[in-house]
């Protein structure tokens, strides 16, 4: 298994190079450049030309790309054109925020979606099943931005139960000491802040987790329905095992393969796709950062951000693949 | 044990609440590009910098009238080519170093001299100095010839030609005076999240978390006794207006700017909130490019100005937050309004007739460009464009709407022959009419072209503007800019559609916020209950 994992990790290298080249080409294909964005409506052409040359944008594209790859090989993702911070530094600050949010959203989806899916399958064609199917359809089709604002208006503005945005309240922020950047984890060592951290995580996690929740419900239901008709399930029932044991031990374990695949894929998507949620909740994560980078034509930010997300995506999928062996003893990696 | 933990938790929360009770939370509509003064042009950076730095000249609250800032007085030489500033004594930077004439000279040299060794390489380009003052040290067009410290508290600026508006221009939010010692110590990191910023202003830099917030704390040694009135300010970066409004309603921010006019009613209906109007200091206009044949005829341009029902459009999209009056300058410059300028009457029939006289009885096709982004002068560009397009189609002009992403839009309008017709606007930097006229009408005009694709050069207008910018005689300046007002109105190259009052909002728990027409003001007087 380890040699398989090693080989998979090695195969990441050409993938990352391919991605770096694609991102580089696409970014430079978009018309407009950072100099114009930075100077805005007031700047004259001379000033723009000056800034372009200062930023090295006059150099041939291949030269700019080679420079970028050269730095990448040294582990240096460059420096933001806009705020002069290194990409490594910004990634270090932002990835825990996005990871924490993605983990919370995934947990929200898993904890609700899987039992929902199981229930729907077990009680097929009942009211419960219909409700679960309808809700999951609704969940997939709700626009994230709309849902986020709706939740904010309901829970933060009207009911005042939860905060409207950010990772911490201003008063708690003044005393909170980030250690790992994962605020939930850091909050465990600072009990007076823990509940504030969790409260700030709830609405964004619900917003981001709704689509995966809907997908998981449907996938779990489908996979369970398939497994529940298998011979070994009938055998288990015939042997007189309790229904709970049949469902949780015999059926669910075998239905989990596609579910785990989807969880992995969804988690990867959440990392890069949290743009809207991060925007609504002013969450200082990677998604909104890359998005801003695209608008500002901040090439190093977009390149560095996308490569990082791609790397994580590959690793998450590897972990998912490896987990198959744990779930199904018939699967072995050589 | 469980109760002890709960007790700690409660005490911790209460303690922290008490500690930060008077900290203001400002919902910033984005993140500053930099905290280095003189090296930014965006309003968000200026807003944050205004809290950290002071400028030589300040402005009376809510107006563009100058008042003493770090300089207590200033005067020009009889020929208008020298400005002398007497500085305030006893002021200290946040790092404890003295503010004096050498600090001013140090700052000005960094902005003006491209070879200054303390300039930060990379990033922005100190472009605002060049834009406002004709270029940099060594440039042929540079207004400034030299800056020197006459004594510890007197600074003298000498110019190649008279610059009568220099005090208000150097007082604009771009030019906060920073601590030389701090700049030397931080090097290339100065003004970034890693390096911070040091001024003499009401609040001190504490921390900048990129993508999240900027935290400033009270300057307890501020030179204005008794100020600031709050313990600190947190700038939270909330780019989306809907999210910002939601946070204001939820109470997690105390005040914010850049609220779409459509939310005015919503604000007025919420008893915890107050809508605040920033005095207008902008113009949203429709540019008509003579490089496109039909638009090279002034009668066609005037017909367009007559065909657009500006009053109705302003009423529909801005309500009480906008004014249209035919002048390119907002009403803060009323003194410079020509009495001969009254806006073109809305008269589609007459406009159609003028088009026929110009040889277009059946109208013509027109590519109409609208901005892809919202600005205070055009909060909903697409819808406003459609309204104008409907008016134009009524006189037979067949409008084809176009847009591009913002960076390309700004860039491509300058590529000859430019856009046929396009929307854009301007927010002033300082209280002088030259700041509205020169960037748009002084030769060569970089985004309007003649039929050969050359940048437009309107000699008569240019002469008037050059005289106005150089004259130290106020009566003469008024006359000259009234003349410019008249010429630009008749040319109808940029049809002013609106002077808008940007809508900003606060919770009723804060008081003392007096918004400046210039776009940024100090938070020193704001109190939170």
């Amino acid at each position: 298994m380890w040699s398989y994992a090693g080989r998979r990790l090695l195969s990441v290298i050409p993938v990352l190079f391919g991605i770096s080249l694609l991102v580089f080409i696409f970014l430079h294909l978009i018309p407009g450049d950072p100099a114009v964005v930075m100077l805005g409506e007031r700047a004259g052409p001379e000033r723009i030309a000056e800034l372009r040359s200062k930023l090295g944008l006059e150099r041939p594209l291949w030269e700019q790309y080679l420079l970028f790859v050269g730095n990448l090989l040294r582990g240096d993702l460059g420096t933001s054109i806009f705020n002069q911070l290194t990409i490594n530094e910004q990634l270090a600050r932002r990835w825990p925020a996005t990871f924490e949010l993605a983990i919370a959203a995934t947990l929200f989806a898993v904890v609700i979606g899987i039992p929902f899916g199981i229930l729907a399958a077990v009680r097929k064609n009942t009211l419960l099943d219909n409700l679960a199917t309808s809700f999951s359809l609704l969940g997939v089709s709700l626009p994230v931005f709309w849902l986020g604002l709706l939740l904010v208006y309901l829970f933060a503005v009207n009911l005042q139960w939860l905060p409207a945005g950010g990772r911490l309240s201003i008063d708690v922020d003044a005393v909170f000491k980030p250690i790992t950047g994962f605020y939930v984890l850091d909050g465990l060592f600072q009990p007076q802040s823990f509940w504030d951290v969790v409260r700030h995580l709830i609405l964004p996690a619900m917003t981001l987790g709704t689509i995966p929740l809907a997908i998981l419900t449907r996938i779990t239901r489908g996979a369970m329905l398939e497994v529940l008709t298998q011979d070994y399930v009938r055998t288990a029932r015939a042997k007189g095992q309790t229904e709970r044991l049949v469902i949780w031990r015999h059926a669910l374990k075998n239905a989990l393969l596609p579910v785990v695949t989807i969880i992995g894929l969804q988690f990867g998507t959440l990392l890069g796709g949290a743009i809207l949620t991060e925007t609504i909740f002013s969450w200082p994560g990677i998604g909104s950062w890359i998005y801003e980078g695209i608008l500002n034509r901040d090439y190093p930010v977009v390149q560095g951000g996308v490569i990082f997300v791609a790397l994580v995506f590959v690793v998450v999928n590897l972990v998912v693949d490896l987990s198959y062996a744990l779930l199904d003893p018939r699967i072995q990696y050589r | 044990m469980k109760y002890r933990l709960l007790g700690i938790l409660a005490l911790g929360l209460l303690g922290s609440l008490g500690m930060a009770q008077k900290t203001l939370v400002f919902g910033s509509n984005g993140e500053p590009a930099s905290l280095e003064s003189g090296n930014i042009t965006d309003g968000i950076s200026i807003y944050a910098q205004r809290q950290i730095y002071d400028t030589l000249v300040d402005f009376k609250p809510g107006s563009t009238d100058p008042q003493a800032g770090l300089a207590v007085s200033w005067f020009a030489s009889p020929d208008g080519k020298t400005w002398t500033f007497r500085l305030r004594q006893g002021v200290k930077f946040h790092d404890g170093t003295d503010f004096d004439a050498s600090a001013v000279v140090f700052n000005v040299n960094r902005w003006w001299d491209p070879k200054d060794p303390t300039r930060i390489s990379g990033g922005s380009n100190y472009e605002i100095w060049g834009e406002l003052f004709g270029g940099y040290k060594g440039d042929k067009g540079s207004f400034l010839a030299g800056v020197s410290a006459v004594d510890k508290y007197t600074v003298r600026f000498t110019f190649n030609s008279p610059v009568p508006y220099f005090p208000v221009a150097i007082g604009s939010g771009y030019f906060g005076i920073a601590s030389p010692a701090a700049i030397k110590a931080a090097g290339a990191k100065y003004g970034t999240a890693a390096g911070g910023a040091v001024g003499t202003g009401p609040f001190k830099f504490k921390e900048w978390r990129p993508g999240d917030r900027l935290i400033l704390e009270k300057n307890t040694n501020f030179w204005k006794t008794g100020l600031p009135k709050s313990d600190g300010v947190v700038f939270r970066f909330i780019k989306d207006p809907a999210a910002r409004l939601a946070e204001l309603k939820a109470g997690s921010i105390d005040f914010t700017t850049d609220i779409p006019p459509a939310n005015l009613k919503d604000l007025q209906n919420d008893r915890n909130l107050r809508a605040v109007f920033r005095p207008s200091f902008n113009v949203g206009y429709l540019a008509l490019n003579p490089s496109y044949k039909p638009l090279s005829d002034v009668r066609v341009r005037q017909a367009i100005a007559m065909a657009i029902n500006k009053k109705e459009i302003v009423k529909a999209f801005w309500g009480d937050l906008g004014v249209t009056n035919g002048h390119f300058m907002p009403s803060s410059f009323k003194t410079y309004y020509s009495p001969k300028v009254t806006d073109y009457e809305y008269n589609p029939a007459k406009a159609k007739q003028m088009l026929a006289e110009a040889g277009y009885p059946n109208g013509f096709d027109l590519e109409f460009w609208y901005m892809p982004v919202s600005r205070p002068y055009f909060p909903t560009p697409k819808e406003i464009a459609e309204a104008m397009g409907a008016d134009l189609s009524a006189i037979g002009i067949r409008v084809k709407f176009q847009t591009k992403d913002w960076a390309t839009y700004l860039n491509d309008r300058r590529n000859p022959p430019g856009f046929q017709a396009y929307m854009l606007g301007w927010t002033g930097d300082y209280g002088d009419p030259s700041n509205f006229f020169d960037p748009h009408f002084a030769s060569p005009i970089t985004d309007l072209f003649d039929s050969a694709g050359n940048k437009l050069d309107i000699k008569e207008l240019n002469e008037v503007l050059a005289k106005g910018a150089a004259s130290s005689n106020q009566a003469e300046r008024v006359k000259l800019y009234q003349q410019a007002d008249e010429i630009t109105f008749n040319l109808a190259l940029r049809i002013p559609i609106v002077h808008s009052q940007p809508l900003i909002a606060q919770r009723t728990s804060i008081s003392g916020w007096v918004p400046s027409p210039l776009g940024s003001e100090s938070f020193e007087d704001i109190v939170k209950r």
Side-chain angles (χ1 to χ4, degrees):
Chain A
M1 188 163 105
W2 294 115
S3 75
Y4 170 79
R7 278 203 310 281
R8 277 285 297 271
L9 278 177
L10 275 180
S11 73
V12 168
I13 295 167
V15 170
L16 286 185
F17 273 107
I19 288 170
S20 76
L21 187 63
L22 277 180
V23 172
F24 187 86
I25 292 171
F26 282 132
L27 260 181
H28 286 82
L29 275 180
I30 314 174
D33 65 45
V36 183
V37 183
M38 284 169 82
L39 301 183
E41 46 274 61
R42 65 183 60 253
E46 297 83 22
R47 295 280 104 76
I48 293 172
E50 255 176 57
L51 185 56
R52 275 184 62 83
S53 102
K54 196 167 185 184
L55 296 176
L57 300 171
E58 304 289 12
R59 292 185 189 174
L61 275 188
W62 62 267
E63 208 179 303
Q64 291 184 46
Y65 180 69
L66 283 185
L67 194 71
F68 165 65
V69 172
N71 289 336
L72 185 65
L73 288 175
R74 286 197 299 274
D76 174 11
L77 287 167
T79 305
S80 159
I81 292 174
F82 267 69
N83 60 17
Q84 305 303 305
L85 292 175
T86 65
I87 304 301
N88 294 356
E89 198 178 336
Q90 297 199 69
L91 269 175
R93 272 176 187 272
R94 286 175 185 263
W95 81 268
T98 297
F99 258 62
E100 188 165 87
L101 178 58
I103 290 169
T106 308
L107 272 179
F108 170 71
V110 167
V111 167
I112 299 178
I114 294 182
F116 233 50
I118 297 170
L119 270 177
V122 173
R123 308 228 192 286
K124 195 185 159 197
N125 291 335
T126 61
L127 180 69
L128 192 84
D129 180 27
N130 289 339
L131 272 178
T133 317
S134 311
F135 273 120
S136 66
L137 192 66
L138 191 72
V140 184
S141 24
L142 277 182
V144 171
F145 204 83
W146 181 83
L147 174 70
L149 278 179
L150 184 87
L151 291 175
V152 168
Y153 270 86
L154 181 64
F155 292 108
V157 176
N158 291 328
L159 298 171
Q160 305 241 324
W161 289 353
L162 293 166
R167 295 183 77 186
L168 284 171
S169 303
I170 292 293
D171 44 352
V172 177
D173 187 80
V175 291
F176 187 77
K177 301 263 174 297
I179 305 162
T180 61
F182 288 87
Y183 281 13
V184 174
L185 206 61
D186 298 345
L188 290 174
F189 302 98
Q190 304 166 70
Q192 74 273 30
S193 311
F194 182 74
W195 178 229
D196 192 64
V197 172
V198 174
R199 274 163 45 86
H200 279 80
L201 196 54
I202 294 173
L203 290 184
M206 277 168 74
T207 307
L208 188 63
T210 299
I211 292 179
L213 161 69
I215 295 174
L216 269 184
T217 307
R218 292 173 78 86
I219 296 287
T220 311
R221 178 182 177 274
M224 282 295 284
L225 280 179
E226 203 185 316
V227 172
L228 284 172
T229 57
Q230 299 286 320
D231 288 346
Y232 65 86
V233 172
R234 200 169 45 233
T235 312
R237 280 185 176 135
K239 276 164 63 184
Q241 289 199 337
T242 62
E243 191 61 14
R244 183 189 271 186
L245 210 63
V246 171
I247 290 166
W248 289 99
R249 185 175 292 171
H250 294 278
L252 182 63
K253 200 172 172 193
N254 287 295
L256 269 183
L257 275 191
V259 175
V260 169
T261 311
I262 293 296
I263 294 174
L265 281 174
Q266 285 296 319
F267 183 75
T269 313
L270 292 186
L271 291 177
I275 295 167
L276 290 176
T277 311
E278 287 183 2
T279 304
I280 302 166
F281 294 96
S282 334
W283 199 263
I286 292 177
S288 52
W289 180 55
I290 296 178
Y291 174 66
E292 283 284 307
I294 294 172
L295 290 186
N296 291 336
R297 306 287 192 279
D298 198 338
Y299 300 143
V301 165
V302 183
Q303 284 160 185
V306 171
I307 285 174
F308 177 78
V309 172
L311 180 67
V312 174
F313 201 91
V314 173
V315 172
V316 169
N317 275 296
L318 175 63
V319 172
V320 169
D321 285 354
L322 295 179
S323 73
Y324 290 165
L326 298 177
L327 291 169
D328 188 344
R330 289 170 299 181
I331 297 174
Q332 282 184 352
Y333 293 107
R334 289 197 192 94
Chain B
M1 179 67 198
K2 202 201 291 179
Y3 290 111
R4 228 174 82 185
L5 196 69
L6 276 174
I8 292 171
L9 207 141
L11 275 176
L13 268 177
L14 283 175
S16 55
L17 278 171
M19 214 178 79
Q21 218 168 17
K22 288 182 182 166
T23 296
L24 305 169
V25 188
F26 177 67
S28 174
N29 58 339
E31 184 161 359
S34 165
L35 292 180
E36 185 195 3
S37 56
N39 201 10
I40 38 105
T41 54
D42 64 299
I44 296 166
S45 298
I46 296 175
Y47 227 139
Q49 291 196 8
R50 183 64 195 86
Q51 315 313 322
I52 299 171
Y53 299 114
D54 291 303
T55 44
L56 286 181
V57 175
D58 197 2
F59 298 93
K60 287 179 187 148
S63 87
T64 57
D65 301 332
Q67 68 173 15
L70 283 176
V72 286
S73 65
W74 49 90
F75 58 89
S77 61
D79 67 356
K81 286 187 177 177
T82 305
W83 276 101
T84 305
F85 290 78
R86 300 241 187 268
L87 306 182
R88 195 174 290 280
Q89 300 188 19
V91 176
K92 287 206 181 289
F93 288 106
H94 302 152
D95 58 5
T97 56
D98 285 333
F99 161 77
D100 56 18
S102 66
V104 176
V105 172
F106 176 90
N107 275 272
V108 172
N109 271 325
R110 294 182 75 234
W111 303 327
W112 175 52
D113 183 358
K115 291 183 184 141
D116 187 283
T118 64
R119 273 191 165 206
I120 294 165
S121 59
S124 202
N125 223 10
Y126 302 87
E127 65 271 5
I128 194 64
W129 184 276
E131 293 290 327
L132 296 186
F133 301 118
Y136 302 93
K137 189 175 185 176
D139 291 354
K140 220 166 68 185
S142 169
F143 299 168
L144 189 65
V147 56
S148 59
V150 178
D151 59 41
K152 195 164 185 214
Y153 292 106
T154 310
V155 179
R156 183 160 294 153
F157 295 84
T158 45
F159 295 90
N160 293 312
S161 55
V163 186
Y165 56 85
F166 183 69
V168 284
I170 198 69
S172 68
Y174 305 114
F175 303 119
I177 304 293
S179 155
I183 289 176
K184 286 177 197 158
K189 287 193 169 160
Y190 187 81
T192 68
V198 178
T200 56
F203 297 97
K204 294 194 285 188
F205 176 91
K206 188 178 175 200
E207 190 187 356
W208 176 358
R209 275 182 235 151
D212 185 12
R213 66 191 63 198
L214 169 69
I215 304 170
L216 307 179
E217 59 188 6
K218 181 178 187 161
N219 172 12
T220 46
N221 288 322
F222 191 39
W223 53 273
K224 289 188 189 173
T225 324
L227 297 178
K229 290 180 179 169
S230 58
D231 286 346
V233 189
V234 175
F235 278 66
R236 284 197 46 216
F237 314 141
I238 310 170
K239 196 153 188 183
D240 182 67
R244 226 164 39 245
L245 187 60
E247 292 230 23
L248 187 71
K249 279 170 169 278
S252 43
I253 57 175
D254 299 317
F255 56 135
T256 186
T257 58
D258 196 28
I259 302 278
N263 291 110
L264 178 59
K265 282 253 144 41
D266 192 12
L267 287 174
Q268 287 168 336
N269 290 337
D270 190 326
R271 60 192 172 86
N272 294 317
L273 306 182
R274 195 161 75 83
V276 186
F277 308 110
R278 187 183 290 287
S280 176
F281 204 58
N282 63 25
V283 59
Y285 61 82
L286 173 67
L288 301 174
N289 196 340
S291 66
Y292 182 51
K293 191 163 176 291
L295 298 179
S296 64
D297 190 325
V298 69
R299 288 171 297 179
V300 174
R301 300 197 301 263
Q302 289 177 344
I304 290 178
M306 210 172 273
I308 297 174
N309 193 347
K310 299 192 281 291
K311 281 209 166 73
E312 279 307 310
I313 289 176
V314 168
K315 208 166 117 189
F317 291 98
W318 288 268
D320 297 334
L321 296 169
V323 167
T324 184
N325 57 14
H327 299 278
F328 195 73
M329 296 169 289
S331 58
S332 322
F333 297 108
K334 242 183 192 142
T335 331
Y336 303 95
Y337 278 8
S338 163
K340 289 182 194 159
V341 172
T342 45
D343 202 359
Y344 295 97
E345 58 166 336
Y346 168 62
N347 191 337
K350 196 170 166 196
K352 206 164 174 162
Q353 189 193 331
M354 282 170 77
L355 275 192
E357 282 166 17
Y360 300 97
N362 301 319
F364 55 88
D365 295 326
L366 180 69
E367 285 181 7
F368 190 115
W369 292 79
Y370 65 88
M371 301 146 47
V373 292
S374 155
R375 284 288 181 271
Y377 44 80
F378 282 135
T380 49
K382 184 166 182 267
E383 289 76 8
I384 297 166
E386 282 164 354
M388 286 197 262
D391 286 343
L392 293 181
S393 72
I395 61 163
I397 296 176
R398 294 171 293 278
V399 168
K400 196 174 148 203
F401 292 110
Q402 309 260 25
T403 195
K404 282 186 178 183
D405 89 290
W406 189 221
T408 329
Y409 189 95
L410 291 174
N411 195 49
D412 287 4
R413 79 185 207 279
R414 295 191 203 271
N415 290 341
F419 297 158
Q420 292 176 3
Y422 65 91
M423 289 160 73
L424 204 62
W426 180 264
T427 300
D429 305 300
Y430 52 86
D432 192 83
S434 59
N435 184 235
F436 270 78
F437 280 122
D438 289 2
H440 297 92
F441 298 104
S443 299
I445 302 172
T446 57
D447 55 3
L448 295 173
F449 303 87
D450 62 19
S451 53
N454 300 313
K455 288 172 188 165
L456 212 57
D457 178 8
I458 308 159
K459 292 208 164 52
E460 183 204 0
L461 179 58
N462 199 44
E463 270 170 33
V464 172
L465 293 179
K467 277 188 202 162
S471 171
S472 309
N473 180 326
Q474 180 58 12
E476 189 188 32
R477 297 192 86 215
V478 170
K479 222 170 105 189
L480 286 162
Y481 282 113
Q482 285 187 347
Q483 211 179 329
D485 189 30
E486 222 174 294
I487 300 172
T488 51
F489 175 75
N490 290 328
L491 279 174
L493 284 164
R494 299 184 203 264
I495 300 169
I497 304 295
V498 71
H499 300 294
S500 75
Q501 283 191 297
L503 177 59
I504 55 188
Q506 62 166 84
R507 288 188 69 81
T508 45
S509 52
I510 68 158
S511 57
W513 187 23
V514 183
S516 159
L518 296 167
S520 66
E521 57 281 327
S522 165
F523 296 160
E524 63 197 26
D525 271 313
I526 303 180
V527 191
K528 185 175 175 181
R529 277 200 309 278

